[in-house]
Amino acid sequence: MEPHFASALLTTAYFPPVEYFFAIAHSDRVLIEQYEAYQKQSWRNRCRILAAAGPEDLSIPVVKEERLSRPIRDIRIDYGAPWLQHHIRAFAAAYNHSAFYDYYADDLLPILVRKPVFLFDLNLALLEKLMELLDLHVPISLTEEFVIPGLTRNLLDGRERIQPKYKRESLLAEYGCEQAYYQVFVNEIPGQARNDGTPSFIPNLSILDLLSAEGPNAASFLRI
C-alpha cells in the first residue's frame, strides 16, 4: 500500500532522520508543533550521523533553566560550549569523502554559523533549506496551540513516533519503503550482508547521510 497522509504533525528537529522527510514527502500538508514542552534525548536537538566508529549522535545544548518552563519555540541554544565547531568537524569527517557533501555544505553550514538564538529557529531554517535541496514542495505551517494526541483524525502524529526512543520499526520499514544506498564507512555493497552476517547498511540516519550519498537522487528514496 502506498503511504499517504492528509496531514503530518512533527516536532522541530535538527538534521532529522530520513523517515521524517519520508513523512513530509507523503503528506498533503505538515504541521510543526511549536507549543510542546522541550524533551531531552530527542531529534529536537540532536541528529545521528555515520562516523568512522559507527552511528554517532550530535546534540545541541540548550539553556538549562528554560527547559521545563518554556515551550519548545522559546528554548535558547547554549553557545557557551564549542558544540558548533565540533558538529561542523564531525560532519566533515563523516561525509567529506561522499559524493555530494561538499556541494550541500555550502548551503547548510552557513545557517549554523549564523548562530540563531532559538533552537526552533535554527531547525526551521535548516528544514526549509533541506526541503529546497530535496525538491519537496509540501506546505509547512506551525501549530496555533498544542495539539492533544489522539484528538485529530486523518493525521500522522510523528511527535513521539519519529524519535530515537521509539522502539518499533520506522515508517520506512512499516511501508516497505526502506532502500539501501552506499555509505562511506560501511564501504560495502548496499543490502548485502557482511561475512559475519550483519547487514551492510545502517538505515534511517540523518537526512544529511542520504543527501551526501545520493545528492539530487535523494528525493527518489523519499517518494517511493
Side-chain angles (χ1 to χ4, degrees):
M1 179 178 66
E2 182 176 346
H4 175 260
F5 314 111
S7 301
L9 176 60
L10 305 172
T11 68
T12 183
Y14 176 60
F15 285 112
V18 174
E19 68 171 328
Y20 188 100
F21 288 92
F22 176 80
I24 292 175
H26 291 277
S27 298
D28 294 332
R29 70 184 188 116
V30 171
L31 288 167
I32 305 297
E33 178 62 75
Q34 63 172 335
Y35 289 106
E36 65 176 358
Y38 173 81
Q39 294 185 37
K40 296 189 296 183
Q41 299 181 4
S42 75
W43 298 138
R44 295 165 180 85
N45 71 320
R46 72 176 53 205
C47 67
R48 182 168 294 158
I49 63 173
L50 182 58
E56 177 182 351
D57 284 3
L58 301 174
S59 62
I60 298 176
V62 299
V63 177
K64 292 183 179 180
E65 58 267 25
E66 298 177 350
R67 294 189 305 190
L68 298 178
S69 61
R70 300 189 181 187
I72 188 71
R73 63 168 296 160
D74 294 331
I75 298 297
R76 292 180 296 168
I77 297 171
D78 184 355
Y79 288 101
W83 68 267
L84 179 56
Q85 298 90 328
H86 171 63
H87 286 205
I88 291 174
R89 288 195 298 266
F91 292 148
Y95 298 119
N96 258 349
H97 295 292
S98 63
F100 295 97
Y101 174 75
D102 285 342
Y103 179 79
Y104 292 119
D106 290 340
D107 289 302
L108 295 167
L109 295 187
I111 297 173
L112 296 175
V113 173
R114 287 200 294 267
K115 294 186 176 181
V117 173
F118 296 101
L119 176 66
F120 195 89
D121 291 343
L122 170 62
N123 289 348
L124 190 59
L126 288 172
L127 176 61
E128 290 171 349
K129 178 57 68 174
L130 286 164
M131 289 186 64
E132 176 187 328
L133 298 176
L134 292 163
D135 197 28
L136 293 176
H137 302 286
V138 181
I140 301 284
S141 57
L142 309 180
T143 58
E144 297 181 356
E145 59 184 5
F146 177 71
V147 179
I148 299 175
L151 292 188
T152 305
R153 301 180 61 184
N154 301 319
L155 173 75
L156 168 67
D157 191 342
R159 290 174 296 180
E160 296 301 326
R161 175 173 188 150
I162 304 177
Q163 294 299 337
K165 291 183 178 181
Y166 188 74
K167 300 302 183 183
R168 298 172 63 183
E169 62 186 2
S170 70
L171 283 173
L172 292 155
E174 177 183 344
Y175 285 94
C177 295
E178 195 169 79
Q179 292 188 85
Y181 52 88
Y182 179 82
Q183 293 172 316
V184 172
F185 289 115
V186 174
N187 199 29
E188 297 180 32
I189 299 173
Q192 293 188 359
R194 299 185 180 92
N195 292 334
D196 61 4
T198 59
S200 61
F201 174 71
I202 301 173
N204 205 30
L205 296 171
S206 166
I207 191 65
L208 193 59
D209 189 80
L210 173 61
L211 197 60
S212 297
E214 293 293 330
N217 191 45
S220 67
F221 286 77
L222 305 173
R223 294 192 175 100
I224 53 176

